[in-house]
Amino acid sequence: MDAILETPALLLDEARMQRNIARMQGRMDQLGVAFRPHVKTSKCLEVARRQLAAGARGITVSTLKEAEEFFGAGIDDILYAVAIVPNKLNHALKLIRAGLRLTLLVESSAMAQQLAAHGAEHGVCYEALIEIDTDGHRSGVKPDDPVLLEIAAALNGGAHLKGVMTHAGASYDLNTPEALAAMAEQERARCVAAATRLRAAGHACPVVSVGSTPTALSAAHLEDVTEVRAGVYVFFDMVMVDVGVCRVDEVAISVLCTVIGHQQDKGWIITDGGWMAMSRDLGHDHHGYGMVCDADGQPLPELGFGKANQEHGVLQWRGAPDVSVAQRYPVGTSLRVLPNHACATAAQHGQYHVIPQNGGDWQVWPRFSGW
Amino acid sequence: MDAILETPALLLDEARMQRNIARMQGRMDQLGVAFRPHVKTSKCLEVARRQLAAGARGITVSTLKEAEEFFGAGIDDILYAVAIVPNKLNHALKLIRAGLRLTLLVESSAMAQQLAAHGAEHGVCYEALIEIDTDGHRSGVKPDDPVLLEIAAALNGGAHLKGVMTHAGASYDLNTPEALAAMAEQERARCVAAATRLRAAGHACPVVSVGSTPTALSAAHLEDVTEVRAGVYVFFDMVMVDVGVCRVDEVAISVLCTVIGHQQDKGWIITDGGWMAMSRDLGHDHHGYGMVCDADGQPLPELGFGKANQEHGVLQWRGAPDVSVAQRYPVGTSLRVLPNHACATAAQHGQYHVIPQNGGDWQVWPRFSGW
């Protein structure tokens, strides 16, 4: 492998990814909801195409850059799932005028008013969801907050209330099936409650959008939900292993690196995969900068990854420090590291090197970044 | 400002950067050593050109991608300061054959042998430095290690020993002028000791290269050192503020972000500058994800930045949580955040937005990434 690729390099196991896609889509089909994958994880057209081919309806993005890139490739139903602010309105307007069915997100009366005014001024009607806070984790309006109805009322003229959306990010901190199922039900019930309140006030509110990878894989039912969003499931990572929604051998991306030196007296193996290749994301702080594996992707529990500089990884051999660390892992040895957080690690790279199946050739799938 | 730029965006204060460049180059001139800036911090030709214009001789890079990009722009004296491994030799060879004066780094006999063999096989003589460990921080051979002379002996035929190189990365963990000056002297003395040993064994060893931003700014003298390398000084960051080698008002880059919402009951201000814009680098864990400032760059000590998701920053108002947080920082408010680690934060962005001076226009300076 090291004769082919310069390291560090981001590897993608396409077979694992396809199984992850099939598993999530199959679950959504069973639960009877539309699935709108969050493409912030991959930022890669080849990946999104496979999610859509499996049955996804539209995509979710975290930046207008993603909206622009994927729309440019022909995907025309996109939810931008970060609350809109004034400096992005002209960009959103440009995309909508070019034909994109773009749904925006609001979580304040002030912004709902500005959105409606901007739409009226420019002769468009923005489709908007209201962000609902169902877990106290981050953003959004609580289902029983009076502000909910104020926002809905402000969305008229140049903006139209399409529904409600929530993301139970707090699920990332759970790790039992019972707690995850309870969080999934809380996410569902509170988002549905917000929709019910809006409908009682006379708003149509056709969309009820929920989701995170852990809750999507843990929900017992999704009654009254119309769509689910999830992102990281497509690759999975060590955080998702810790949460308990995947196995280590389902993690589909890894960083290939090479041993460049040793500090034998400390039992250290130095590699060319530092934090620039892994990101600084330590996940739940259980695996250092990631889980170290051999060149074939088999975990090597004897190696920790507790320290990283920009282009240097420092692996700690858990055995007694002596000369044998350099004998076991000589300079030039290829290793692979499973990431803590797939979204963060993939973002450090400009392409996926897709591992050949059945003796085929390596493919390179580009990914983009930025705003 | 928010009418011009979509957020998040990486801002560069060119005047501060020029002062940082002049300060470091002036110091190196006083100490009588050549200066070879590490361009891994900026990965930007416009920045490197200003460092060279100020008097730098050659550049240091952390990847062969950097070597290729800067050589393509006409910079032909480059030190690649990460130990070379077999999978990168053909790339290095290609650059050398195209005319680049590329210096490589080795820290093991095995790699020195492979380097010499590869050079002999392809009819080139690789110029190499031996990495010296002067602080126990990461890589390199200790000055008194027998391996030092083995490596030097192996560098013959297709490779040539040009000198020794060290980086006292441990200086980042210090924070008094006395400790920094002592570390600078340790870095100098141990690297010179390695050169002295090599010369006593009959090797010419013309280059003695040392450096890190903290030691370069703290050395009392640099006797027998021929060149210094430093990178982060060009922008500085909150880690360097903590180390004590710069002031907050010398930090030249910041991330512009916008308030997108609030959680008034918690005193939270949500922005569109999350970890994708800041990186996950927490520095010395004193400033959360960075120091929050107003739109003009004045620090706002009343706001912490303890929590970040991919495209959401969560700022904590240190006052009593109530409605006034949304009144003080309404949706649409522009804020700037000074990074913990300039190398990590800049790497999350594809360009620098250069703040206009004297009423001029905004400039955009591209930066690259990857390997």
Side-chain angles (χ1 to χ4, degrees):
Chain A
M1 191 181 289
D2 55 7
I4 300 171
L5 288 182
E6 278 183 58
T7 51
L10 181 63
L11 306 189
L12 171 58
D13 185 323
E14 188 183 357
R16 288 186 183 185
M17 180 187 79
Q18 286 290 12
R19 285 194 292 271
N20 297 341
I21 290 172
R23 176 183 168 201
M24 181 64 84
Q25 187 65 51
R27 202 176 156 76
M28 295 301 106
D29 292 347
Q30 277 184 330
L31 290 166
V33 290
F35 182 54
R36 183 185 289 276
H38 206 319
V39 297
K40 77 184 175 84
T41 304
S42 74
K43 301 199 187 192
C44 172
L45 184 60
E46 293 292 338
V47 174
R49 279 189 178 137
R50 283 159 177 78
Q51 292 169 305
L52 290 164
R57 295 188 224 162
I59 59 172
T60 310
V61 300
S62 69
T63 64
L64 289 179
K65 170 82 168 276
E66 289 163 62
E68 184 154 346
E69 291 274 341
F70 286 106
F71 176 52
I75 300 174
D76 67 353
D77 176 4
I78 298 181
L79 166 61
Y80 171 44
V82 178
I84 191 77
V85 284
N87 69 56
K88 300 187 177 92
L89 286 175
N90 286 337
H91 193 173
L93 177 67
K94 192 180 99 181
L95 292 169
I96 290 167
R97 283 184 169 160
L100 173 61
R101 288 181 291 156
L102 179 65
T103 302
L104 300 175
L105 191 64
V106 290
E107 59 158 3
S108 67
S109 303
M111 195 57 229
Q113 287 163 13
Q114 288 189 61
L115 183 68
H118 195 270
E121 184 188 345
H122 294 92
V124 302
C125 183
Y126 292 111
E127 296 280 341
L129 303 183
I130 301 175
E131 184 166 9
I132 307 299
D133 178 11
T134 55
D135 64 350
H137 166 68
R138 185 174 71 198
S139 303
V141 181
K142 288 184 186 58
D144 58 355
D145 191 320
V147 168
L148 180 68
L149 299 181
E150 292 172 25
I151 297 173
L155 292 171
N156 69 63
H160 171 247
L161 174 64
K162 192 173 173 186
V164 290
M165 188 209 95
T166 194
H167 165 63
S171 63
Y172 278 52
D173 296 324
L174 307 176
N175 57 19
T176 67
E178 298 73 24
L180 288 164
M183 180 60 76
E185 174 54 16
Q186 175 179 313
E187 181 185 44
R188 183 203 71 79
R190 293 188 183 176
C191 200
V192 168
T196 302
R197 229 178 123 217
L198 288 164
R199 289 172 191 144
H203 302 282
C205 197
V207 172
V208 179
S209 177
V210 307
S212 72
T213 287
T215 52
L217 293 172
S218 304
H221 73 91
L222 286 172
E223 193 177 339
D224 297 328
V225 164
T226 63
E227 76 173 18
V228 169
R229 309 172 328 280
V232 78
Y233 80 94
V234 73
F235 296 150
F236 283 129
D237 54 27
M238 294 310 297
V239 166
M240 290 298 112
V241 171
D242 294 339
V243 170
V245 294
C246 71
R247 301 185 312 264
V248 171
D249 66 5
E250 292 174 313
V251 178
I253 62 169
S254 58
V255 173
L256 181 70
C257 61
T258 304
V259 174
I260 66 173
H262 307 86
Q263 294 288 8
Q264 294 182 10
D265 57 334
K266 298 185 181 116
W268 285 3
I269 299 165
I270 319 285
T271 78
D272 61 2
W275 59 251
M276 189 63 85
M278 296 307 305
S279 91
R280 278 284 199 194
D281 202 310
L282 296 173
H284 288 165
D285 244 341
H286 299 159
H287 313 285
Y289 283 90
M291 175 167 281
V292 184
C293 301
D294 67 18
D296 296 321
Q298 293 301 312
L300 294 169
E302 69 186 36
L303 297 181
F305 189 175
K307 191 169 141 80
N309 296 125
Q310 186 158 341
E311 298 290 346
H312 293 79
V314 181
L315 311 183
Q316 290 96 3
W317 191 41
R318 301 193 206 276
D322 63 21
V323 68
S324 58
V325 66
Q327 290 166 343
R328 290 170 75 96
Y329 300 102
V331 170
T333 302
S334 294
L335 296 170
R336 279 166 62 183
V337 184
L338 304 179
N340 288 315
H341 188 170
C343 307
T345 299
Q348 302 297 106
H349 296 261
Q351 58 275 316
Y352 300 90
H353 296 274
V354 184
I355 300 172
Q357 297 179 59
N358 310 317
D361 293 329
W362 286 82
Q363 289 183 60
V364 175
W365 293 356
R367 56 164 287 143
F368 58 90
S369 58
W371 292 270
Chain B
M1 191 181 290
D2 56 7
I4 300 170
L5 288 181
E6 276 184 59
T7 52
L10 181 63
L11 306 189
L12 171 57
D13 185 323
E14 188 183 357
R16 288 187 183 184
M17 180 188 78
Q18 287 290 12
R19 286 194 292 272
N20 297 341
I21 290 172
R23 176 183 169 201
M24 181 65 84
Q25 187 64 51
R27 202 176 157 77
M28 295 302 106
D29 293 346
Q30 278 184 328
L31 290 166
V33 291
F35 182 54
R36 182 184 290 276
H38 205 319
V39 297
K40 76 184 175 85
T41 304
S42 74
K43 302 201 186 192
C44 171
L45 184 61
E46 293 292 338
V47 174
R49 279 188 177 138
R50 283 158 176 79
Q51 293 169 304
L52 290 164
R57 296 189 224 160
I59 60 172
T60 311
V61 300
S62 70
T63 63
L64 289 179
K65 170 81 168 278
E66 291 164 60
E68 184 154 344
E69 292 273 342
F70 286 107
F71 176 52
I75 300 174
D76 67 353
D77 175 4
I78 298 181
L79 165 62
Y80 171 44
V82 178
I84 191 77
V85 283
N87 69 55
K88 298 186 178 92
L89 286 175
N90 286 337
H91 194 173
L93 178 67
K94 192 181 99 180
L95 292 169
I96 290 167
R97 283 184 168 158
L100 174 60
R101 288 179 293 155
L102 179 66
T103 302
L104 300 175
L105 191 64
V106 291
E107 60 157 2
S108 67
S109 304
M111 196 57 228
Q113 288 163 15
Q114 289 188 61
L115 183 68
H118 195 269
E121 185 188 344
H122 294 92
V124 301
C125 183
Y126 291 112
E127 297 280 341
L129 304 183
I130 301 175
E131 183 165 10
I132 308 300
D133 177 11
T134 56
D135 64 350
H137 167 67
R138 185 174 71 198
S139 303
V141 181
K142 289 185 185 58
D144 59 355
D145 191 319
V147 169
L148 179 69
L149 299 181
E150 292 172 24
I151 297 172
L155 292 171
N156 70 63
H160 170 248
L161 174 64
K162 192 173 173 185
V164 288
M165 188 209 96
T166 194
H167 165 63
S171 63
Y172 279 52
D173 296 324
L174 307 175
N175 57 19
T176 67
E178 298 72 24
L180 288 163
M183 180 60 76
E185 173 55 16
Q186 175 179 314
E187 180 186 45
R188 184 204 69 81
R190 292 187 184 177
C191 200
V192 168
T196 303
R197 229 180 123 215
L198 288 164
R199 289 172 190 144
H203 302 283
C205 198
V207 172
V208 179
S209 176
V210 307
S212 73
T213 288
T215 52
L217 293 172
S218 304
H221 73 92
L222 286 172
E223 195 178 339
D224 299 328
V225 165
T226 64
E227 75 172 20
V228 169
R229 309 173 326 281
V232 79
Y233 80 96
V234 73
F235 296 150
F236 284 128
D237 54 26
M238 294 311 297
V239 166
M240 290 297 111
V241 170
D242 293 339
V243 170
V245 294
C246 71
R247 301 185 312 264
V248 171
D249 66 5
E250 292 174 312
V251 178
I253 61 170
S254 58
V255 173
L256 180 71
C257 61
T258 304
V259 174
I260 66 172
H262 307 85
Q263 294 287 9
Q264 295 183 9
D265 57 334
K266 299 185 180 114
W268 285 3
I269 299 165
I270 318 285
T271 78
D272 61 2
W275 59 251
M276 189 63 86
M278 296 307 306
S279 92
R280 278 284 200 195
D281 201 310
L282 296 174
H284 288 164
D285 244 341
H286 300 160
H287 313 285
Y289 283 90
M291 176 168 280
V292 183
C293 301
D294 67 17
D296 297 320
Q298 293 302 312
L300 295 168
E302 68 187 34
L303 296 181
F305 190 173
K307 189 169 144 81
N309 295 126
Q310 185 158 341
E311 299 290 347
H312 293 80
V314 181
L315 311 183
Q316 290 96 4
W317 191 42
R318 302 192 206 276
D322 63 20
V323 67
S324 58
V325 67
Q327 290 166 344
R328 289 171 76 97
Y329 301 102
V331 170
T333 301
S334 294
L335 297 170
R336 279 166 63 182
V337 185
L338 303 179
N340 289 313
H341 188 172
C343 307
T345 300
Q348 302 297 105
H349 296 263
Q351 57 275 316
Y352 300 91
H353 297 274
V354 184
I355 301 172
Q357 297 180 59
N358 309 318
D361 292 330
W362 285 83
Q363 288 183 59
V364 175
W365 292 356
R367 57 163 288 144
F368 58 89
S369 59
W371 292 270

